[in-house]
């Protein structure tokens, strides 16, 4: 699940797109690189997000899974390029 795009289905951020950066039990940690940076991810129940059938680029995915250093600009760019393809 880490590295996939997700859309919020409930709450004040409804329809906002995020990248899943971590999963802990029934919760997913979401980042958009702007309002929810990597330093302060949004904690949201999995039932309140809709998974998108797309992932971040391979290099970013590998760094997310390994816990390497990632910048918020990279998350923003991944979301931007995904939205441009749609």
């Amino acid at each position: 699940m880490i590295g996939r795009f997700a859309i919020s289905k409930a709450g004040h951020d409804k329809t906002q797109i995020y990248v899943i950066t971590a999963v802990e039990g029934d919760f997913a940690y979401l980042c958009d690189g702007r309002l929810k940076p990597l330093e302060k991810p949004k904690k949201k129940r999995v039932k309140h997000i809709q998974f998108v059938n797309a992932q971040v680029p391979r290099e970013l995915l590998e760094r997310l899974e390994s816990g390497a250093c990632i910048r918020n600009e990279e998350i923003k760019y991944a979301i931007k390029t995904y939205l441009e393809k749609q």
Side-chain angles (χ1 to χ4, degrees), residues 53-75:
N53 194 16
Q55 285 188 332
V56 295
R58 181 183 224 62
E59 304 83 33
L60 185 57
L61 177 62
E62 290 171 356
R63 293 195 347 233
L64 272 171
E65 290 174 341
S66 69
C69 184
I70 300 169
R71 297 184 347 216
N72 288 313
E73 290 80 16
E74 295 172 295
I75 298 288

Side-chain angles (χ1 to χ4, degrees), residues 30-82:
L30 311 170
C31 293
D32 67 357
R34 194 173 54 92
L35 295 175
K36 290 297 175 182
L38 289 163
E39 299 82 30
K40 256 185 108 173
K42 180 164 189 68
K43 184 178 179 181
K44 199 157 183 89
R45 286 198 183 270
V46 174
K47 69 179 181 179
H48 292 148
I49 57 177
Q50 178 179 354
F51 299 106
V52 177
N53 194 16
Q55 285 188 332
V56 295
R58 181 183 224 62
E59 304 83 33
L60 185 57
L61 177 62
E62 290 171 356
R63 293 195 347 233
L64 272 171
E65 290 174 341
S66 69
C69 184
I70 300 169
R71 297 184 347 216
N72 288 313
E73 290 80 16
E74 295 172 295
I75 298 288
K76 285 193 289 190
Y77 182 74
I79 291 172
K80 180 183 171 186
T81 54
Y82 167 73

Side-chain angles (χ1 to χ4, degrees), residues 9-45:
K9 294 193 301 187
H12 71 279
D13 62 340
K14 190 174 182 178
T15 70
Q16 180 71 28
I17 188 161
Y18 294 102
V19 173
I20 300 173
T21 56
V23 177
E24 184 179 281
D26 194 29
F27 291 95
Y29 290 89
L30 311 170
C31 293
D32 67 357
R34 194 173 54 92
L35 295 175
K36 290 297 175 182
L38 289 163
E39 299 82 30
K40 256 185 108 173
K42 180 164 189 68
K43 184 178 179 181
K44 199 157 183 89
R45 286 198 183 270

